[in-house]
Amino acid sequence: MKEKESILQDRAFIELNFSNLAHNIEEIKKVIDKDCKIMAVVKANAYGHGIVQIAKMLNRIGVKDFAVATLSEGILLRKHHIDGNILILGYTDVSNIEYVIEYDLMQTIIDYEYAKKIETIELKSKLKVHVKINTGMNRIGENYENMEKLQEIYQMKNIEILGTYTHLCVADSFEEEDGVFTKIQIDRFNQCIEQLKRQKCDVGKVHVQSSYGVLNYPYLKYDFVRVGIVMYGVYSNYHENTVVKLNLRPVLSLKARITSVKEIKKGEAVSYGRTFVADESKKIATVSIGYADGYPRNLSGQNVEVLVNGKYAKIIGRICMDQLIIDVSNVSGIKQGDLVTFIGDKDEISAEKIASASNTITNELLSRLGNRIERISKE
């Protein structure tokens, strides 16, 4: 192992499988219209995968449209020479709009009042934007009913409108009322777009579907799909049902090293709070990862399994800030320096299974993985 690789893999690290990323992109292409483009959502450090590494690989395989949440994420991509369009999905303070222009980014117009503020400032060139329309999620976006305000936005002098979009808030649900509401959102958006066009407003490229919009409403035809979680090869929830079944492959594996192996006797406790007490003699191992790395502390005492030397082992006792302990009584030949896999492509340690045990979704689990964990690429 080269010196740099040795240092990066000394403690805890994430292994990125770029072949799986390319495979997932091709899977998504199979279910969208041939004229529809993928807008890769790389916000939150590419859902914990590493924003720069992921975006560079996506550029290499031909993806030229990206979505981020913040101005700083967009600037980071530009500083690493990411090519293509970069849309900021969230709010950027008007005092920083000049940087959106400087780094050739696109800003979301989050509502009419925001657009009005931008119209009052002096800019060296027009600000490239996409307009967000609120069709029922009530997070950001100008309300679909406010046609006069929307039309005024499209006539403003300081902005160049390149796109218009909305967001579906229950596209992942199979509940009847949620399906009805999703179709209401789609209808509201489509009618709004048609009204704007009748008023000679150039709406630019339109987009509605995020990952679950693609999986459950594949018949929709827009200019972009904003894909996040499925691009990374996982679903948000464990054993989730969707209309479209994609052959997804996880891009991320989370691994750490064993730092200590020891024997404990019956009646001895492990970790903070003495919440685990051995019912018989056991062989245990300490591993160099903890909740400060983003591995959830609430998995303590949940019988969560990890993979070491081809065998499953359970986490025991409370998960600490930088370390945790596993029961390796059934694992032979274990030693200091051995690798332990915490998230991988096997069902028992899948991101979906671990997120479920932590009472959350994979989106949160993965995006919380910290920068202390090195990202290692695997072609």
Side-chain angles (χ1 to χ4, degrees), residues 271-310:
S271 195
Y272 287 114
R274 304 182 73 251
T275 58
F276 176 87
V277 178
D279 57 3
E280 60 183 358
S281 296
K282 290 184 177 294
K283 181 168 59 174
I284 64 171
T286 302
V287 191
S288 54
I289 192 170
Y291 61 78
D293 301 294
Y295 195 75
R297 185 176 182 272
N298 69 353
L299 292 177
S300 303
Q302 299 297 317
N303 290 319
V304 172
E305 293 186 312
V306 299
L307 192 62
V308 53
N309 292 355

Side-chain angles (χ1 to χ4, degrees), residues 30 84 93 99 107 131 150 234 244-245 264 267 282 295 308 357:
K30 290 177 183 178
D93 192 85
Y99 298 111
Q107 174 60 44
V131 177
L150 282 166
V234 298
V244 170
K245 307 296 181 186
I264 61 170
K282 290 184 177 294
Y295 195 75
V308 53

Side-chain angles (χ1 to χ4, degrees), residues 41-321:
V41 182
V42 293
K43 63 181 180 176
N45 202 23
Y47 290 52
H49 290 66
I51 186 171
V52 173
Q53 295 97 317
I54 292 295
K56 282 186 175 181
M57 180 59 190
L58 289 169
N59 258 180
R60 283 170 54 187
I61 61 177
V63 176
K64 294 295 180 70
D65 296 280
F66 298 90
V68 296
T70 67
L71 172 61
S72 60
E73 289 175 335
I75 292 173
L76 179 63
L77 291 182
R78 287 296 189 226
K79 285 185 173 180
H80 284 85
H81 312 293
I82 298 304
D83 184 32
N85 301 310
I86 302 173
L87 173 63
I88 301 170
L89 298 173
Y91 171 80
T92 299
D93 192 85
V94 173
S95 64
N96 289 321
I97 287 297
E98 61 182 299
Y99 298 111
V100 179
I101 296 173
E102 180 181 344
Y103 287 95
D104 190 24
L105 307 172
M106 299 184 295
Q107 174 60 44
T108 290
I109 296 296
I110 63 168
D111 56 30
Y112 173 73
E113 294 301 325
Y114 184 66
K116 279 181 64 178
K117 288 180 182 177
I118 292 172
E119 192 70 354
T120 63
I121 60 178
E122 186 175 341
L123 299 174
K124 61 183 178 182
S125 63
K126 285 191 174 185
L127 175 68
K128 296 177 182 178
V129 306
H130 283 219
V131 177
K132 179 71 174 290
I133 296 177
N134 173 25
T135 56
M137 187 166 181
N138 293 316
R139 186 170 59 178
I140 61 172
E142 185 55 53
N143 194 281
Y144 72 98
E145 294 179 308
N146 297 337
M147 287 307 303
E148 288 187 8
K149 289 183 176 180
L150 282 166
Q151 288 171 35
E152 187 176 334
I153 290 172
Y154 285 84
Q155 295 165 359
M156 289 182 179
K157 302 292 192 296
N158 260 358
I159 59 177
E160 178 185 0
I161 296 173
L162 300 178
T164 307
Y165 72 104
T166 193
H167 192 67
L168 305 176
C169 57
V170 282
D172 58 335
S173 173
F174 270 55
E175 295 294 329
E176 184 177 356
E177 64 181 42
D178 289 336
V180 169
F181 187 75
T182 296
K183 290 174 182 175
I184 288 172
Q185 280 194 277
I186 294 166
D187 288 343
R188 286 172 176 173
F189 181 76
N190 289 343
Q191 290 169 17
C192 188
I193 292 296
E194 288 306 313
Q195 284 184 263
L196 288 167
K197 287 181 176 179
R198 283 197 294 270
Q199 296 300 319
K200 308 301 182 185
C201 297
D202 185 355
V203 298
K205 303 293 186 181
V206 294
H207 43 112
V208 170
Q209 298 143 287
S210 55
S211 289
Y212 281 86
V214 174
L215 293 173
N216 290 330
Y217 299 86
Y219 60 85
L220 297 175
K221 295 184 185 299
Y222 296 104
D223 296 305
F224 288 113
V225 290
R226 305 182 304 270
V227 289
I229 195 66
V230 298
M231 181 175 69
Y232 303 107
V234 298
Y235 293 95
S236 289
N237 294 292
Y238 188 52
H239 286 169
E240 194 153 43
N241 191 27
T242 56
V243 171
V244 170
K245 307 296 181 186
L246 299 181
N247 178 25
L248 299 177
R249 298 176 183 171
V251 175
L252 175 153
S253 296
L254 176 63
K255 301 179 179 182
R257 294 199 179 274
I258 288 176
T259 60
S260 174
V261 181
K262 60 174 63 69
E263 303 279 346
I264 61 170
K265 300 174 184 177
K266 179 180 179 180
E268 287 193 289
V270 164
S271 195
Y272 287 114
R274 304 182 73 251
T275 58
F276 176 87
V277 178
D279 57 3
E280 60 183 358
S281 296
K282 290 184 177 294
K283 181 168 59 174
I284 64 171
T286 302
V287 191
S288 54
I289 192 170
Y291 61 78
D293 301 294
Y295 195 75
R297 185 176 182 272
N298 69 353
L299 292 177
S300 303
Q302 299 297 317
N303 290 319
V304 172
E305 293 186 312
V306 299
L307 192 62
V308 53
N309 292 355
K311 295 285 187 69
Y312 288 109
K314 290 183 178 180
I315 297 172
I316 57 174
R318 287 183 182 165
I319 294 169
C320 308
M321 181 178 285

Side-chain angles (χ1 to χ4, degrees), residues 328-343:
V328 291
S329 301
N330 67 328
V331 184
S332 59
I334 197 162
K335 62 186 184 301
Q336 188 179 65
D338 283 351
L339 277 177
V340 180
T341 302
F342 288 83
I343 299 175

